[in-house]
Amino acid sequence: MIAAPPIKASKATQAKLDKLGLFTTHDLLLHLPLRYQDETRIYPIAHAPLGQAVLVEGEITDTNVQHRPRRTLVCQVEDGSGTMTLRFLNFYPSQIKQLAPGKRVRLFGEMRHGFFGMEMVHPQYRMVGTEEPVAEALTPIYPTTAGLGQAALRKLIQAALAECDLADTLPNEVLHPLGLPAFAASIAYLHQPPPDAPLDLLAERTHPAWQRLKFDELLAQQLSMHQHYRRRRAQSAAPMPPRRHLTDALLAVLPFPLTRAQQRVTLEIAGDLAKPHPMQRLLQGDVGSGKTIVAALAALQAIENGFQAAIMAPTEILAEQHYQKLSAWLAPLGLKVVWLAASLPKKEKQAALTAVAAGEAQLAIGTHALFQEQVVFRNLGLAVIDEQHRFGVHQRLALQKKGAQPHQMMMSATPIPRTLSMSYYADLDVSVIDELPPGRTPVVTKLVGDSRRGEVVERVRDACLTGRQAYWVCPLIEESETLQLKTAVETFETLTATFPELKVGLVHGRLHTRDKAATMAAFKAGEIQLLVATTVIEVGVDVPNASLMVIEHAERFGLSQLHQLRGRVGRGAAQSACILLFQTPLSETARARLKTIYENSDGFEIARQDLLLRGPGEFLGARQSGVPLLKIADIEQDRKLLEAARHVAEKILAEQPEVAERHLQRWLAGAEQLLKV
Ligand code: ADP
Ligand code: MG
């Protein structure tokens, strides 16, 4: 058993450590340096290399405060080889005394050739006696937080190194073929590299010591995913075999046949629901691939077996739209669908809650309001989570808890790149709809500089006057919701004035649900030709007659967001276009994003590029979700190690489960809980 001894620190210090996520001595061990300083040798002043941080030492021969051009503390230091100047632009009166002539000082800083010879500006310094030893190892510089100095952090980490059990969790048979060094040696090396350590390999994190720790972290993640998967397999859930009377009845009246891909995933899901273990399946399919009908069929299978189903969507607009669509499908079958949103009037909400609690409503659709405390299901058998990447782990967990052990199905239009599905999503079963319904014409994407706005306006007018409809997406203003709202209203007013012959509508997140729903309904019915919208329409909105989309300040949007937005058009037979208006000059990443979206229509490729541009934390939206992200490894950069970790995980779970257990103890002590979701 590898237990972490407690950290010996004052309450105030521990509070700072908490901020860094350092709760145990193990956390301290794994708090690795950002970079290193070479304080292992003292250079003679006259021969110190310029332009790099070096250590020098000497006696102060002169100290004075200059007043021009600004107040500066200036000292002269001599070491036998030569003299140099120190300059401090900000200093305390006490420093004048501390740095008095005759004292010895050890300096660390960048040596440069100033106007009066060698000098250092604001070096780190320490008063020393004679013959004081220099560091034997490179000095690590750690990520830290205000009020916790490097020296204090170093001391705590040194103590952790001395106290903790650094015994290897992995046997040689695992490490040797991969060329990985021992854990203890790797950890010690990274915290105290020898003076001749290859700083470039350390900085790139490709040094074997880094590789070892990355591997360990990835392996822990793999093991925990496998464990979770097995644990789920061991749980029981109500089996709901296909009875087919409701599903067949819906299929019979559907105006279109399912695509082959839809049929395949429907079968996969039907098979899962029939099993006595909780399903946890992710249904992936690009925007417009037709996930909603698949969810409806799954819900019907649960209902056929006497259970209730719930569908949760991330925005009210989307939830409302699902409600409309599913009611239209299910009501003729004699089923009751209710809608639950935070903004519902009290009376309606109460009625919906009662219907859900009594089991009178077979299907409940809503936003996160679905899993608030007052919502009680009579017997929830299936929870469907649409656009799952928009929800945090905690929210998903809450809904899951509403049933005894409901089957769970997640849907996402953001395809998961292979590296992510090998790591963060390794515990899910995945179904993929890899085919769009027939009759779609690909969306033409145009990049247009803001100076050509006039042409865009004419294009919108033409489209709307010939019976088609358009979206005008307002600029994203991440820093301020208020400002974003203001811009949306202004855009609406400007466009209303620009297009007197058109009916223009506006939707944004702050509108009352009723108004939002009314506007969306009017747009769907063709009463509104041009819909000005914020990103509330990003997910799920489905109006096939809308064939033109203008996105303002497209350079501010993320890749997946642009792909999702663009997916709102091209849903009917008409040729559709998406015009990305951008403001010059473009930043490097904005240019890369626009280029990617221009060149690709495949959501999978876009997601891959997005991951490369943003990194997995942002990609997963894990900030809110609380999923413990990898701290050391990087799934793209370290994909080879990830592959290796995956194989090793399978092997040791099968052959040496005690090794797996020990490894997880070291790496995941506190994080386990969150991974179980
Ligand atoms: P998404 O996967 O983005 O959630 P939707 O479920 O909203 O996609 O479906 C997009 C549109 O395609 C809807 O209008 C839906 O009715 C239609 N659709 C779904 N499946 C088919 C199909 N097999 N044939 C034709 N149209 C379909
Ligand atoms: Mg959808």
Side-chain angles (χ1 to χ4, degrees):
M1 166 86 193
I2 299 182
I7 298 177
K8 293 187 197 99
S10 69
K11 261 223 171 94
T13 306
Q14 187 56 57
K16 309 238 165 61
L17 292 172
D18 287 356
K19 269 199 198 154
L20 294 168
L22 305 175
F23 304 103
T24 69
T25 42
H26 274 166
D27 298 334
L28 281 172
L29 281 186
L30 300 173
H31 193 62
L32 297 171
L34 286 173
R35 56 190 177 82
Y36 302 92
Q37 273 174 198
D38 188 356
E39 296 175 44
T40 60
R41 59 185 282 197
I42 296 176
Y43 283 91
I45 289 173
H47 305 120
L50 297 179
Q52 82 188 52
V54 291
L55 197 64
V56 294
E57 184 176 314
E59 192 180 306
I60 298 173
T61 55
D62 184 50
T63 302
N64 68 77
V65 176
Q66 291 179 357
H67 292 274
R68 276 197 207 137
R70 51 178 287 197
R71 232 169 89 83
T72 311
L73 174 61
V74 182
C75 307
Q76 300 300 319
V77 176
E78 191 198 275
D79 75 346
S81 81
T83 57
M84 64 179 288
T85 307
L86 303 186
R87 288 179 199 282
F88 297 91
L89 295 167
N90 298 303
F91 57 95
Y92 296 105
S94 61
Q95 283 179 286
I96 304 173
K97 270 200 201 124
Q98 189 187 26
L99 293 164
K103 299 241 176 104
R104 270 191 92 69
V105 66
R106 188 171 285 177
L107 305 157
F108 186 82
E110 188 180 316
M111 187 73 90
R112 62 182 206 189
H113 218 64
F115 200 66
F116 300 103
M118 304 287 258
E119 69 171 24
M120 279 187 188
V121 179
H122 278 247
Q124 299 172 31
Y125 72 89
R126 189 159 70 85
M127 310 316 296
V128 289
T130 46
E131 309 275 306
E132 213 153 301
V134 291
E136 279 170 16
L138 298 180
T139 310
I141 305 296
Y142 294 102
T144 188
T145 183
L148 184 64
Q150 289 292 332
L153 193 50
R154 249 174 242 148
K155 224 167 156 179
L156 287 165
I157 291 173
Q158 289 302 326
L161 274 170
E163 275 178 45
C164 287
D165 177 0
L166 300 181
D168 226 295
T169 49
L170 303 177
N172 264 330
E173 309 96 83
V174 168
L175 299 174
H176 197 73
L178 297 168
L180 294 173
F183 178 77
S186 305
I187 268 286
Y189 191 93
L190 293 181
H191 285 294
Q192 318 165 288
D196 61 348
L199 284 171
D200 50 340
L201 298 188
L202 288 175
E204 287 166 8
R205 302 189 163 197
T206 49
H207 189 277
W210 269 112
Q211 297 291 102
R212 169 63 206 263
L213 292 181
K214 287 175 170 184
F215 177 79
D216 274 23
E217 186 182 43
L218 290 165
L219 179 64
Q221 187 198 41
Q222 292 296 311
L223 289 171
S224 131
M225 296 279 183
H226 275 279
Q227 259 189 355
H228 173 213
Y229 191 84
R230 287 180 177 200
R231 235 177 264 144
R232 176 154 58 83
R233 279 293 133 113
Q235 286 173 345
S236 54
M240 306 171 185
R243 312 242 177 227
R244 312 213 55 137
H245 58 274
L246 290 177
T247 49
D248 280 356
L250 175 59
L251 287 170
V253 297
L254 214 56
F256 49 76
L258 295 186
T259 61
R260 289 235 309 273
Q262 283 170 320
Q263 288 173 19
R264 175 171 37 77
V265 301
T266 300
L267 275 180
E268 286 165 0
I269 293 161
D272 275 4
L273 289 174
K275 286 185 192 144
H277 314 291
M279 164 168 85
Q280 214 161 59
R281 189 171 279 277
L282 176 67
L283 174 60
Q284 258 182 245
D286 209 344
V287 269
S289 61
K291 295 182 290 293
T292 318
I293 180 68
V294 176
L297 291 168
L300 286 177
Q301 188 169 328
I303 297 168
E304 283 172 347
N305 282 277
F307 288 90
Q308 288 171 297
I311 300 180
M312 180 162 90
T315 65
E316 291 208 349
I317 287 191
L318 184 53
E320 157 91 20
Q321 184 182 285
H322 278 335
Y323 172 70
Q324 302 289 357
K325 191 171 249 179
L326 285 146
S327 309
W329 282 338
L330 271 56
L333 306 176
L335 302 174
K336 185 173 167 70
V337 183
V338 296
W339 187 47
L340 269 173
S343 62
L344 219 52
K346 217 167 171 189
K347 232 166 128 192
E348 288 177 34
K349 193 178 205 168
Q350 200 46 54
L353 288 175
T354 313
V356 171
E360 199 184 293
Q362 288 85 0
L363 177 61
I365 297 177
T367 55
H368 52 283
L370 262 188
F371 52 76
Q372 254 125 45
E373 262 168 50
Q374 336 91 288
V375 187
V376 180
F377 287 86
R378 196 171 74 86
N379 60 351
L380 181 64
L382 169 68
V384 178
I385 297 157
D386 196 11
E387 309 292 345
Q388 68 92 25
H389 58 284
R390 292 304 206 86
F391 288 98
V393 171
H394 301 285
Q395 292 170 314
R396 297 204 306 253
L397 186 65
L399 182 60
Q400 216 178 334
K401 282 191 181 143
K402 289 284 173 195
Q405 195 52 262
H407 293 281
Q408 200 179 328
M409 171 172 155
M410 287 150 271
M411 306 201 286
S412 177
T414 307
I416 300 173
R418 193 175 135 69
T419 46
L420 275 182
S421 64
M422 271 166 53
S423 50
Y424 297 101
Y425 292 103
D427 63 332
L428 294 181
D429 295 306
V430 180
S431 290
V432 183
I433 306 183
D434 52 5
E435 168 186 17
L436 292 180
R440 302 262 168 92
T441 36
V443 179
V444 176
T445 302
K446 293 212 150 77
L447 299 178
V448 178
D450 200 54
S451 55
R452 289 169 53 207
R453 209 180 172 78
E455 294 168 36
V456 175
V457 164
E458 284 321 305
R459 187 141 178 194
V460 169
R461 196 192 310 271
D462 285 350
C464 291
L465 287 178
T466 52
R468 279 172 288 140
Q469 288 168 281
Y471 296 99
W472 193 290
V473 181
C474 297
L476 179 72
I477 302 171
E478 281 194 328
E479 311 82 53
S480 157
E481 206 194 334
T482 326
L483 206 57
Q484 170 144 349
L485 208 62
K486 186 166 164 274
T487 317
V489 172
E490 282 169 8
T491 310
F492 170 69
E493 282 164 0
T494 314
L495 290 173
T496 307
T498 313
F499 300 115
E501 66 277 56
L502 301 179
K503 182 97 176 77
V504 185
L506 170 66
V507 284
H508 56 70
R510 281 300 179 84
L511 277 186
H512 193 281
T513 311
R514 249 172 226 291
D515 301 336
K516 244 188 284 183
T519 305
M520 287 312 293
F523 187 58
K524 204 158 200 166
E527 290 153 18
I528 288 175
Q529 285 100 42
L530 177 62
L531 185 66
V532 179
T534 56
T535 49
V536 293
I537 59 149
E538 176 190 347
V539 287
V541 169
D542 183 35
V543 179
N545 191 47
S547 61
L548 180 60
M549 172 174 281
V550 178
I551 303 179
E552 276 206 71
H553 275 289
E555 75 280 0
R556 294 189 191 164
F557 291 84
L559 262 181
S560 314
Q561 221 170 8
L562 286 173
H563 181 61
Q564 291 268 339
L565 282 168
R566 182 173 58 181
R568 300 305 119 217
V569 291
R571 306 195 142 225
Q575 173 66 64
S576 294
C578 179
I579 299 176
L580 305 176
L581 268 177
F582 64 87
Q583 200 87 45
T584 46
L586 285 175
S587 74
E588 200 68 26
T589 38
R591 184 182 300 274
R593 279 201 300 263
L594 291 181
K595 183 163 180 285
T596 304
I597 205 81
Y598 178 71
E599 288 174 351
N600 296 284
S601 58
D602 174 8
F604 195 92
E605 181 54 25
I606 290 171
R608 207 181 67 81
Q609 305 266 357
D610 198 19
L611 179 63
L612 284 175
L613 288 170
R614 286 197 295 168
E618 296 271 332
F619 185 91
L620 291 167
R623 292 252 167 85
Q624 305 96 301
S625 75
V627 172
L629 284 178
L630 296 169
K631 287 189 191 132
I632 304 177
D634 174 294
I635 52 169
E636 278 299 321
Q637 199 191 337
D638 303 317
R639 61 205 306 165
K640 286 212 176 94
L641 284 174
L642 174 59
E643 295 267 4
R646 201 157 71 121
H647 290 129
V648 169
E650 273 163 28
K651 202 165 139 63
I652 62 177
L653 276 173
E655 296 165 12
Q656 296 167 290
E658 70 289 352
V659 169
E661 194 57 37
R662 200 169 51 181
H663 191 74
L664 277 175
Q665 263 167 22
R666 170 170 287 155
W667 281 86
L668 282 185
E672 266 282 73
Q673 197 51 41
L674 280 168
L675 285 171
K676 283 182 194 146
V677 177

